[in-house]
Amino acid sequence: MKKINVLTIGNSFTDSLALYFPDAVASTGNEVNFQRANFGGCELHRHWSYIEAEINNEYCRIYQGGHKLSTILKETPWDYVTIQQASHCSWRPETFHPYADNIIEFIQSHCPNTEVLIQQTWSYHNDHPQFQPGSEWDIDQTEMYNRLTKNYTDLAKDYSFRVIPSGYAVQLARSEQPVKFTPYPLESLKEINWPNLPNASGTFVGKYFWKKNEEGKMTLASDLIHLNPRGQYLQACVWYGFLFGNPVSDIKLNPENLDNDDCEFMRKTAQKAIDNFPQA
């Protein structure tokens, strides 16, 4: 049995590991101490502002419900500390520096024997408003992926860091899965009546759901940026294989809400992503 200590300095794109990652590791006979210093939607510049505030005020404690990040870094012999950009900034190169550099220097000053890793995040669901004609971003799903990948790869090259290829695994799974997502006219969403939902076959990111509005009417809502359970399982597989250096096929976890054959496909895809993603 092998045990590792992992700390994420990130946002909801590492919070998504909580659903399956610890159980996936346990299913292999190994163990992980998985801790998070995350804030939802937190960009690199915001993390650095929190760190600066803690440095400049001895009573300031922002992380994990009242702890200094410096204390969190020093109190455990972390094998890995991960960083990443917030997804809405991930494709913009100007948002990475100098904040990533400052955070990296801060981590290394408090735990010099820890390996700092970069998680490559993923591109959004096809339906996201920023992928539609006339949007502010003026990019599509593939271009978002290509740009964010370049940004993470460039950062990794600057420091000779390794990249956890979560985003590549999602992109690979999208292209190689037996049943692929079929885009539909967004106008058709207006014709869907409660409790029906749009076809989610082939998706790893995003979900539609119903919620009640102030008038008590059920309205169709969406989350088009976070991993759904398939994506969360895929991410957990990538992190297990990458961090432990063991075959992803060691994972025996087949969650009740996921098809066993689909889990096998995602384990194979995770392994392929780990094996084929070009490291710095």
Side-chain angles (χ1 to χ4, degrees), residues 38-217:
N38 297 344
F39 298 95
C42 198
E43 307 91 344
L44 289 168
H45 78 259
R46 184 147 56 100
H47 270 298
W48 179 242
S49 73
Y50 293 160
I51 294 168
E52 279 194 307
E54 290 188 340
I55 292 172
N56 295 328
N57 186 332
E58 63 175 309
Y59 301 107
C60 183
R61 292 170 173 80
I62 298 174
Y63 284 84
Q64 289 187 342
H67 296 85
K68 282 184 178 291
L69 184 58
S70 58
T71 302
I72 297 168
L73 288 170
K74 289 185 291 188
E75 68 184 2
T76 300
W78 302 108
D79 296 290
Y80 306 104
V81 174
T82 72
I83 64 170
Q84 66 197 52
Q85 180 58 290
S87 61
H88 54 275
C89 294
S90 62
W91 62 281
R92 300 180 185 269
E94 69 275 11
T95 67
F96 280 71
H97 304 283
Y99 315 108
D101 312 281
N102 296 339
I103 294 168
I104 290 166
E105 182 180 0
F106 183 80
I107 295 168
Q108 293 179 329
S109 70
H110 288 89
C111 40
N113 297 320
T114 295
E115 182 178 3
V116 180
L117 298 171
I118 300 167
Q119 179 184 217
Q120 175 211 28
T121 55
W122 48 87
S123 57
Y124 294 166
H125 189 286
N126 292 72
D127 291 358
H128 196 276
Q130 293 293 3
F131 295 158
Q132 309 313 315
S135 69
E136 176 191 355
W137 290 6
D138 193 30
I139 59 175
D140 61 15
Q141 186 185 75
T142 300
E143 188 169 359
M144 181 181 182
Y145 172 77
N146 290 339
R147 291 193 188 190
L148 69 85
T149 300
K150 183 178 188 307
N151 294 335
Y152 286 119
T153 301
D154 287 348
L155 178 61
K157 286 179 179 177
D158 288 343
Y159 291 92
S160 298
F161 284 174
R162 295 190 296 156
V163 176
I164 306 173
S166 301
Y168 177 52
V170 169
Q171 205 73 359
L172 198 60
R174 283 168 168 162
S175 65
E176 295 193 355
Q177 63 185 327
V179 179
K180 296 177 176 59
F181 174 74
T182 302
Y184 39 75
L186 294 185
E187 287 295 316
S188 66
L189 297 177
K190 299 177 181 178
E191 302 172 4
I192 296 177
N193 297 314
W194 184 80
N196 299 324
L197 291 168
N199 183 7
S201 298
T203 61
F204 297 87
V205 175
K207 63 179 180 179
Y208 282 91
F209 54 95
W210 292 94
K211 68 177 183 179
K212 191 174 293 188
N213 63 18
E214 294 178 355
E215 288 77 38
K217 302 291 186 181

Side-chain angles (χ1 to χ4, degrees), residues 241-274:
F242 190 93
L243 298 183
F244 282 87
N246 295 335
V248 179
S249 58
D250 289 352
I251 296 173
K252 303 299 188 289
L253 176 69
N254 291 303
E256 286 300 314
N257 59 330
L258 296 176
D259 180 84
N260 285 9
D261 290 340
D262 196 30
C263 289
E264 175 67 16
F265 164 76
M266 288 186 282
R267 289 192 290 268
K268 290 180 178 178
T269 303
Q271 187 66 62
K272 188 178 293 187
I274 294 167

Side-chain angles (χ1 to χ4, degrees), residues 3-7 21 31-35 76-78 244:
K3 179 179 178 179
I4 63 172
N5 298 309
V6 183
L7 175 69
F21 180 49
E31 187 177 348
V32 61
N33 172 24
F34 172 58
Q35 299 294 324
T76 300
W78 302 108
F244 282 87

